[in-house]
PDB file of all heavy atoms in Angstrom:
ATOM      1  N   ARG A 733      83.385  30.081 155.821  1.00 83.00           N
ATOM      2  CA  ARG A 733      82.259  30.952 155.420  1.00 83.00           C
ATOM      3  C   ARG A 733      81.117  30.844 156.434  1.00 83.00           C
ATOM      4  O   ARG A 733      80.447  31.818 156.729  1.00 83.00           O
ATOM      5  CB  ARG A 733      81.781  30.581 154.014  1.00 83.00           C
ATOM      6  CG  ARG A 733      82.750  31.014 152.920  1.00 83.00           C
ATOM      7  CD  ARG A 733      82.118  30.864 151.541  1.00 83.00           C
ATOM      8  NE  ARG A 733      82.105  29.476 151.107  1.00 83.00           N
ATOM      9  CZ  ARG A 733      83.093  28.902 150.430  1.00 83.00           C
ATOM     10  NH1 ARG A 733      84.174  29.591 150.121  1.00 83.00           N
ATOM     11  NH2 ARG A 733      83.006  27.637 150.053  1.00 83.00           N
ATOM     12  N   THR A 734      80.908  29.616 156.954  1.00 86.00           N
ATOM     13  CA  THR A 734      79.822  29.414 157.924  1.00 86.00           C
ATOM     14  C   THR A 734      80.077  30.211 159.190  1.00 86.00           C
ATOM     15  O   THR A 734      79.174  30.843 159.734  1.00 86.00           O
ATOM     16  CB  THR A 734      79.679  27.917 158.253  1.00 86.00           C
ATOM     17  OG1 THR A 734      79.431  27.199 157.044  1.00 86.00           O
ATOM     18  CG2 THR A 734      78.538  27.677 159.224  1.00 86.00           C
ATOM     19  N   PHE A 735      81.339  30.179 159.688  1.00 86.00           N
ATOM     20  CA  PHE A 735      81.659  30.929 160.909  1.00 86.00           C
ATOM     21  C   PHE A 735      81.453  32.429 160.693  1.00 86.00           C
ATOM     22  O   PHE A 735      81.011  33.128 161.600  1.00 86.00           O
ATOM     23  CB  PHE A 735      83.099  30.646 161.342  1.00 86.00           C
ATOM     24  CG  PHE A 735      83.228  29.380 162.161  1.00 86.00           C
ATOM     25  CD1 PHE A 735      84.471  28.892 162.532  1.00 86.00           C
ATOM     26  CD2 PHE A 735      82.100  28.676 162.554  1.00 86.00           C
ATOM     27  CE1 PHE A 735      84.594  27.721 163.289  1.00 86.00           C
ATOM     28  CE2 PHE A 735      82.211  27.507 163.308  1.00 86.00           C
ATOM     29  CZ  PHE A 735      83.451  27.037 163.676  1.00 86.00           C
ATOM     30  N   LYS A 736      81.780  32.924 159.501  1.00 85.00           N
ATOM     31  CA  LYS A 736      81.583  34.349 159.217  1.00 85.00           C
ATOM     32  C   LYS A 736      80.095  34.706 159.216  1.00 85.00           C
ATOM     33  O   LYS A 736      79.710  35.831 159.522  1.00 85.00           O
ATOM     34  CB  LYS A 736      82.198  34.705 157.852  1.00 85.00           C
ATOM     35  CG  LYS A 736      83.711  34.783 157.878  1.00 85.00           C
ATOM     36  CD  LYS A 736      84.258  35.147 156.502  1.00 85.00           C
ATOM     37  CE  LYS A 736      85.791  35.236 156.534  1.00 85.00           C
ATOM     38  NZ  LYS A 736      86.355  35.492 155.188  1.00 85.00           N
ATOM     39  N   ALA A 737      79.273  33.731 158.845  1.00 87.00           N
ATOM     40  CA  ALA A 737      77.827  33.973 158.752  1.00 87.00           C
ATOM     41  C   ALA A 737      77.080  33.537 160.010  1.00 87.00           C
ATOM     42  O   ALA A 737      75.853  33.564 160.042  1.00 87.00           O
ATOM     43  CB  ALA A 737      77.262  33.232 157.536  1.00 87.00           C
ATOM     44  N   LEU A 738      77.835  33.131 161.044  1.00 89.00           N
ATOM     45  CA  LEU A 738      77.226  32.513 162.221  1.00 89.00           C
ATOM     46  C   LEU A 738      76.175  33.403 162.904  1.00 89.00           C
ATOM     47  O   LEU A 738      75.139  32.905 163.367  1.00 89.00           O
ATOM     48  CB  LEU A 738      78.320  32.133 163.219  1.00 89.00           C
ATOM     49  CG  LEU A 738      78.002  30.986 164.177  1.00 89.00           C
ATOM     50  CD1 LEU A 738      77.578  29.736 163.420  1.00 89.00           C
ATOM     51  CD2 LEU A 738      79.216  30.686 165.060  1.00 89.00           C
ATOM     52  N   GLU A 739      76.451  34.698 162.952  1.00 89.00           N
ATOM     53  CA  GLU A 739      75.509  35.620 163.612  1.00 89.00           C
ATOM     54  C   GLU A 739      74.106  35.499 162.999  1.00 89.00           C
ATOM     55  O   GLU A 739      73.110  35.342 163.714  1.00 89.00           O
ATOM     56  CB  GLU A 739      76.012  37.066 163.476  1.00 89.00           C
ATOM     57  CG  GLU A 739      75.051  38.082 164.096  1.00 89.00           C
ATOM     58  CD  GLU A 739      75.421  39.521 163.756  1.00 89.00           C
ATOM     59  OE1 GLU A 739      76.514  39.760 163.183  1.00 89.00           O
ATOM     60  OE2 GLU A 739      74.600  40.405 164.032  1.00 89.00           O
ATOM     61  N   TYR A 740      74.047  35.554 161.657  1.00 89.00           N
ATOM     62  CA  TYR A 740      72.740  35.507 161.000  1.00 89.00           C
ATOM     63  C   TYR A 740      72.135  34.110 160.988  1.00 89.00           C
ATOM     64  O   TYR A 740      70.915  33.954 161.057  1.00 89.00           O
ATOM     65  CB  TYR A 740      72.833  36.067 159.569  1.00 89.00           C
ATOM     66  CG  TYR A 740      72.837  37.573 159.563  1.00 89.00           C
ATOM     67  CD1 TYR A 740      74.000  38.283 159.315  1.00 89.00           C
ATOM     68  CD2 TYR A 740      71.672  38.292 159.827  1.00 89.00           C
ATOM     69  CE1 TYR A 740      74.008  39.671 159.328  1.00 89.00           C
ATOM     70  CE2 TYR A 740      71.669  39.681 159.839  1.00 89.00           C
ATOM     71  CZ  TYR A 740      72.837  40.363 159.593  1.00 89.00           C
ATOM     72  OH  TYR A 740      72.833  41.736 159.606  1.00 89.00           O
ATOM     73  N   ILE A 741      72.988  33.091 160.927  1.00 91.00           N
ATOM     74  CA  ILE A 741      72.476  31.714 161.001  1.00 91.00           C
ATOM     75  C   ILE A 741      71.718  31.535 162.326  1.00 91.00           C
ATOM     76  O   ILE A 741      70.601  30.990 162.364  1.00 91.00           O
ATOM     77  CB  ILE A 741      73.631  30.681 160.893  1.00 91.00           C
ATOM     78  CG1 ILE A 741      74.317  30.769 159.525  1.00 91.00           C
ATOM     79  CG2 ILE A 741      73.114  29.269 161.156  1.00 91.00           C
ATOM     80  CD1 ILE A 741      73.462  30.386 158.341  1.00 91.00           C
ATOM     81  N   PHE A 742      72.323  32.043 163.418  1.00 92.00           N
ATOM     82  CA  PHE A 742      71.668  31.922 164.721  1.00 92.00           C
ATOM     83  C   PHE A 742      70.413  32.799 164.816  1.00 92.00           C
ATOM     84  O   PHE A 742      69.457  32.441 165.496  1.00 92.00           O
ATOM     85  CB  PHE A 742      72.652  32.223 165.853  1.00 92.00           C
ATOM     86  CG  PHE A 742      73.212  30.970 166.456  1.00 92.00           C
ATOM     87  CD1 PHE A 742      74.411  30.417 165.997  1.00 92.00           C
ATOM     88  CD2 PHE A 742      72.519  30.287 167.448  1.00 92.00           C
ATOM     89  CE1 PHE A 742      74.908  29.237 166.520  1.00 92.00           C
ATOM     90  CE2 PHE A 742      73.009  29.101 167.975  1.00 92.00           C
ATOM     91  CZ  PHE A 742      74.201  28.578 167.520  1.00 92.00           C
ATOM     92  N   LYS A 743      70.423  33.935 164.136  1.00 91.00           N
ATOM     93  CA  LYS A 743      69.215  34.771 164.138  1.00 91.00           C
ATOM     94  C   LYS A 743      68.058  34.035 163.459  1.00 91.00           C
ATOM     95  O   LYS A 743      66.911  34.104 163.906  1.00 91.00           O
ATOM     96  CB  LYS A 743      69.488  36.104 163.444  1.00 91.00           C
ATOM     97  CG  LYS A 743      70.255  37.075 164.341  1.00 91.00           C
ATOM     98  CD  LYS A 743      70.475  38.420 163.677  1.00 91.00           C
ATOM     99  CE  LYS A 743      71.180  39.366 164.652  1.00 91.00           C
ATOM    100  NZ  LYS A 743      71.462  40.677 164.057  1.00 91.00           N
ATOM    101  N   PHE A 744      68.368  33.321 162.366  1.00 91.00           N
ATOM    102  CA  PHE A 744      67.341  32.504 161.701  1.00 91.00           C
ATOM    103  C   PHE A 744      66.875  31.374 162.627  1.00 91.00           C
ATOM    104  O   PHE A 744      65.672  31.096 162.714  1.00 91.00           O
ATOM    105  CB  PHE A 744      67.881  31.926 160.382  1.00 91.00           C
ATOM    106  CG  PHE A 744      67.828  32.877 159.220  1.00 91.00           C
ATOM    107  CD1 PHE A 744      68.990  33.365 158.634  1.00 91.00           C
ATOM    108  CD2 PHE A 744      66.610  33.280 158.690  1.00 91.00           C
ATOM    109  CE1 PHE A 744      68.949  34.236 157.549  1.00 91.00           C
ATOM    110  CE2 PHE A 744      66.548  34.144 157.610  1.00 91.00           C
ATOM    111  CZ  PHE A 744      67.721  34.629 157.047  1.00 91.00           C
ATOM    112  N   ILE A 745      67.832  30.721 163.303  1.00 92.00           N
ATOM    113  CA  ILE A 745      67.496  29.611 164.210  1.00 92.00           C
ATOM    114  C   ILE A 745      66.570  30.101 165.335  1.00 92.00           C
ATOM    115  O   ILE A 745      65.511  29.505 165.601  1.00 92.00           O
ATOM    116  CB  ILE A 745      68.778  28.980 164.799  1.00 92.00           C
ATOM    117  CG1 ILE A 745      69.540  28.204 163.701  1.00 92.00           C
ATOM    118  CG2 ILE A 745      68.449  28.054 165.980  1.00 92.00           C
ATOM    119  CD1 ILE A 745      70.928  27.736 164.112  1.00 92.00           C
ATOM    120  N   VAL A 746      66.955  31.205 165.962  1.00 93.00           N
ATOM    121  CA  VAL A 746      66.177  31.737 167.101  1.00 93.00           C
ATOM    122  C   VAL A 746      64.780  32.161 166.646  1.00 93.00           C
ATOM    123  O   VAL A 746      63.776  31.847 167.299  1.00 93.00           O
ATOM    124  CB  VAL A 746      66.931  32.928 167.752  1.00 93.00           C
ATOM    125  CG1 VAL A 746      66.047  33.636 168.771  1.00 93.00           C
ATOM    126  CG2 VAL A 746      68.215  32.441 168.406  1.00 93.00           C
ATOM    127  N   ARG A 747      64.714  32.851 165.519  1.00 91.00           N
ATOM    128  CA  ARG A 747      63.402  33.317 165.024  1.00 91.00           C
ATOM    129  C   ARG A 747      62.508  32.122 164.660  1.00 91.00           C
ATOM    130  O   ARG A 747      61.313  32.107 164.954  1.00 91.00           O
ATOM    131  CB  ARG A 747      63.599  34.237 163.814  1.00 91.00           C
ATOM    132  CG  ARG A 747      62.326  34.807 163.224  1.00 91.00           C
ATOM    133  CD  ARG A 747      61.618  35.722 164.202  1.00 91.00           C
ATOM    134  NE  ARG A 747      60.392  36.254 163.630  1.00 91.00           N
ATOM    135  CZ  ARG A 747      59.384  36.715 164.348  1.00 91.00           C
ATOM    136  NH1 ARG A 747      59.447  36.727 165.669  1.00 91.00           N
ATOM    137  NH2 ARG A 747      58.303  37.185 163.770  1.00 91.00           N
ATOM    138  N   SER A 748      63.097  31.122 164.008  1.00 91.00           N
ATOM    139  CA  SER A 748      62.341  29.935 163.606  1.00 91.00           C
ATOM    140  C   SER A 748      61.792  29.207 164.840  1.00 91.00           C
ATOM    141  O   SER A 748      60.618  28.814 164.893  1.00 91.00           O
ATOM    142  CB  SER A 748      63.243  28.999 162.794  1.00 91.00           C
ATOM    143  OG  SER A 748      62.575  27.796 162.510  1.00 91.00           O
ATOM    144  N   ARG A 749      62.653  29.024 165.842  1.00 91.00           N
ATOM    145  CA  ARG A 749      62.216  28.345 167.074  1.00 91.00           C
ATOM    146  C   ARG A 749      61.124  29.149 167.783  1.00 91.00           C
ATOM    147  O   ARG A 749      60.155  28.582 168.291  1.00 91.00           O
ATOM    148  CB  ARG A 749      63.428  28.140 167.996  1.00 91.00           C
ATOM    149  CG  ARG A 749      63.089  27.621 169.381  1.00 91.00           C
ATOM    150  CD  ARG A 749      62.404  26.258 169.345  1.00 91.00           C
ATOM    151  NE  ARG A 749      61.619  26.034 170.560  1.00 91.00           N
ATOM    152  CZ  ARG A 749      60.774  25.032 170.724  1.00 91.00           C
ATOM    153  NH1 ARG A 749      60.575  24.148 169.757  1.00 91.00           N
ATOM    154  NH2 ARG A 749      60.092  24.911 171.844  1.00 91.00           N
ATOM    155  N   HIS A 750      61.273  30.476 167.796  1.00 92.00           N
ATOM    156  CA  HIS A 750      60.285  31.343 168.439  1.00 92.00           C
ATOM    157  C   HIS A 750      58.923  31.182 167.752  1.00 92.00           C
ATOM    158  O   HIS A 750      57.884  31.053 168.414  1.00 92.00           O
ATOM    159  CB  HIS A 750      60.768  32.796 168.353  1.00 92.00           C
ATOM    160  CG  HIS A 750      59.864  33.775 169.028  1.00 92.00           C
ATOM    161  ND1 HIS A 750      59.685  33.820 170.399  1.00 92.00           N
ATOM    162  CD2 HIS A 750      59.055  34.752 168.519  1.00 92.00           C
ATOM    163  CE1 HIS A 750      58.822  34.769 170.703  1.00 92.00           C
ATOM    164  NE2 HIS A 750      58.428  35.350 169.580  1.00 92.00           N
ATOM    165  N   LEU A 751      58.925  31.142 166.409  1.00 90.00           N
ATOM    166  CA  LEU A 751      57.667  30.980 165.650  1.00 90.00           C
ATOM    167  C   LEU A 751      57.057  29.602 165.919  1.00 90.00           C
ATOM    168  O   LEU A 751      55.836  29.467 166.054  1.00 90.00           O
ATOM    169  CB  LEU A 751      57.937  31.161 164.140  1.00 90.00           C
ATOM    170  CG  LEU A 751      58.304  32.579 163.686  1.00 90.00           C
ATOM    171  CD1 LEU A 751      58.762  32.568 162.229  1.00 90.00           C
ATOM    172  CD2 LEU A 751      57.120  33.529 163.838  1.00 90.00           C
ATOM    173  N   PHE A 752      57.931  28.581 165.977  1.00 90.00           N
ATOM    174  CA  PHE A 752      57.456  27.215 166.244  1.00 90.00           C
ATOM    175  C   PHE A 752      56.800  27.145 167.621  1.00 90.00           C
ATOM    176  O   PHE A 752      55.722  26.559 167.794  1.00 90.00           O
ATOM    177  CB  PHE A 752      58.635  26.230 166.153  1.00 90.00           C
ATOM    178  CG  PHE A 752      58.247  24.790 166.336  1.00 90.00           C
ATOM    179  CD1 PHE A 752      57.917  24.004 165.235  1.00 90.00           C
ATOM    180  CD2 PHE A 752      58.191  24.208 167.609  1.00 90.00           C
ATOM    181  CE1 PHE A 752      57.553  22.672 165.397  1.00 90.00           C
ATOM    182  CE2 PHE A 752      57.818  22.886 167.772  1.00 90.00           C
ATOM    183  CZ  PHE A 752      57.495  22.107 166.657  1.00 90.00           C
ATOM    184  N   ALA A 753      57.464  27.744 168.620  1.00 90.00           N
ATOM    185  CA  ALA A 753      56.952  27.713 170.001  1.00 90.00           C
ATOM    186  C   ALA A 753      55.606  28.442 170.104  1.00 90.00           C
ATOM    187  O   ALA A 753      54.711  28.009 170.825  1.00 90.00           O
ATOM    188  CB  ALA A 753      57.971  28.340 170.943  1.00 90.00           C
ATOM    189  N   GLN A 754      55.486  29.548 169.354  1.00 88.00           N
ATOM    190  CA  GLN A 754      54.216  30.296 169.342  1.00 88.00           C
ATOM    191  C   GLN A 754      53.100  29.450 168.740  1.00 88.00           C
ATOM    192  O   GLN A 754      51.973  29.413 169.241  1.00 88.00           O
ATOM    193  CB  GLN A 754      54.369  31.588 168.528  1.00 88.00           C
ATOM    194  CG  GLN A 754      54.967  32.740 169.310  1.00 88.00           C
ATOM    195  CD  GLN A 754      54.994  34.009 168.468  1.00 88.00           C
ATOM    196  OE1 GLN A 754      55.152  33.962 167.255  1.00 88.00           O
ATOM    197  NE2 GLN A 754      54.830  35.144 169.121  1.00 88.00           N
ATOM    198  N   LEU A 755      53.437  28.744 167.665  1.00 88.00           N
ATOM    199  CA  LEU A 755      52.432  27.977 166.918  1.00 88.00           C
ATOM    200  C   LEU A 755      52.010  26.725 167.687  1.00 88.00           C
ATOM    201  O   LEU A 755      50.822  26.374 167.712  1.00 88.00           O
ATOM    202  CB  LEU A 755      53.004  27.604 165.541  1.00 88.00           C
ATOM    203  CG  LEU A 755      52.035  27.002 164.528  1.00 88.00           C
ATOM    204  CD1 LEU A 755      50.935  28.006 164.166  1.00 88.00           C
ATOM    205  CD2 LEU A 755      52.778  26.582 163.276  1.00 88.00           C
TER     206      LEU A 755
END
Side-chain angles (χ1 to χ4, degrees):
R733 287 191 283 271
T734 302
F735 276 174
K736 285 180 180 176
L738 206 55
E739 178 190 351
Y740 281 106
I741 296 295
F742 262 93
K743 282 183 177 178
F744 278 113
I745 289 170
V746 171
R747 181 64 180 158
S748 174
R749 172 61 203 170
H750 182 68
L751 291 171
F752 183 91
Q754 277 184 327
L755 190 63

